[in-house]
Amino acid sequence: FSMAVSNYHYHAKKPIPRPEMWITRQNPCQVTYPNGELFADYVLPSLSKRSYEALNINYDSRLILRSEFEAIANDCESLYQTRKGLETANQFEHLMNLDAPDGLRLATAELTIQGDDNGGDMLRMSNNILKLKQAEKIVQNSWMGGRNKEFQVYTLSLDDFISEPKNSALEFLNFVFDHNEADVSMEQKESAAMKYSQTYLNKKEGSRH
């Protein structure tokens, strides 16, 4: 939820951040790659109940069904270039002109199902989490596990980062440079975390995002 709202607010403003100019040229509802392959065919198998139960991951409900993916794509198409005055508008122009609920729907659809360019992050991230869990299990059950090898994954919550950027950055640095790493002192990590936090807070104060 936080990621969807944050994504909408970040992109529904002027000026467009330089790395985000893709928002003026891509179709937010495109669910295929240039070669015609479906984005859904790459991510949905990993998000199936059978896939994550095989990894001993328990969720209260399914992650996403193909019918739900298609429903999101249909909702996206009902919003994009269908309103008066927006028949030839790009995604950015839609976000600037649609009312907030519809703009949030369009931006979140792009963030979920868009397969060609910069979209689809929500499903890609979910897919990556399960793939990393799969890799972790493979290492544990392989000959590498018998040689005290570990496959470690660090997960950072967006909500935690927003509320505590310094501590989140420091925890990440502690994960990358563990306590046995002599080349990077705690003082160096704390200094880097403080600088990163300050950079984030400066950007946050200078933006209505």
Side-chain angles (χ1 to χ4, degrees), residues 10-150:
Y10 182 68
H11 292 106
K13 67 178 184 181
K14 293 181 178 180
I16 303 173
R18 184 172 297 178
E20 308 296 316
M21 292 305 295
W22 55 265
I23 201 171
T24 65
R25 61 177 183 269
Q26 79 169 14
N27 179 346
C29 309
Q30 184 171 341
V31 296
T32 58
Y33 293 104
N35 63 2
E37 292 182 316
L38 291 170
F39 171 55
D41 288 343
Y42 282 89
V43 295
L44 294 188
S46 296
L47 304 181
S48 68
K49 187 175 182 180
R50 178 183 298 178
S51 176
Y52 64 76
E53 284 186 342
L55 299 173
N56 296 320
I57 300 173
N58 296 314
Y59 291 115
D60 293 335
S61 62
R62 66 194 185 280
L63 295 182
I64 186 171
L65 299 177
R66 185 172 292 271
S67 60
E68 294 168 328
F69 182 98
E70 292 171 352
I72 296 171
N74 290 336
D75 188 51
C76 185
E77 291 175 353
S78 75
L79 294 166
Y80 188 61
Q81 296 184 341
T82 61
R83 306 290 176 87
K84 185 176 180 180
L86 296 176
E87 295 89 344
T88 60
N90 58 40
Q91 183 180 344
F92 175 71
E93 291 166 336
H94 277 73
L95 297 186
M96 295 298 293
N97 288 280
L98 292 174
D99 59 29
D102 286 346
L104 178 60
R105 283 167 57 199
L106 181 65
T108 304
E110 183 271 339
L111 191 64
T112 307
I113 55 94
Q114 212 280 344
D116 178 43
D117 203 341
N118 283 272
D121 288 351
M122 281 190 172
L123 294 189
R124 285 193 177 96
M125 291 168 67
S126 301
N127 173 75
N128 291 346
I129 289 170
L130 290 170
K131 287 297 185 183
L132 288 169
K133 283 288 185 181
Q134 186 179 41
E136 184 179 25
K137 185 175 181 180
I138 290 172
V139 170
Q140 290 173 348
N141 295 334
S142 72
W143 63 270
M144 291 185 290
R147 300 177 60 186
N148 297 319
K149 297 293 184 181
E150 291 183 301

Side-chain angles (χ1 to χ4, degrees), residues 177-191:
F177 305 104
D178 64 31
H179 299 295
N180 297 321
E181 183 65 55
D183 293 336
V184 182
S185 68
M186 179 57 71
E187 290 76 14
Q188 289 175 306
K189 288 185 284 189
E190 288 179 343
S191 176

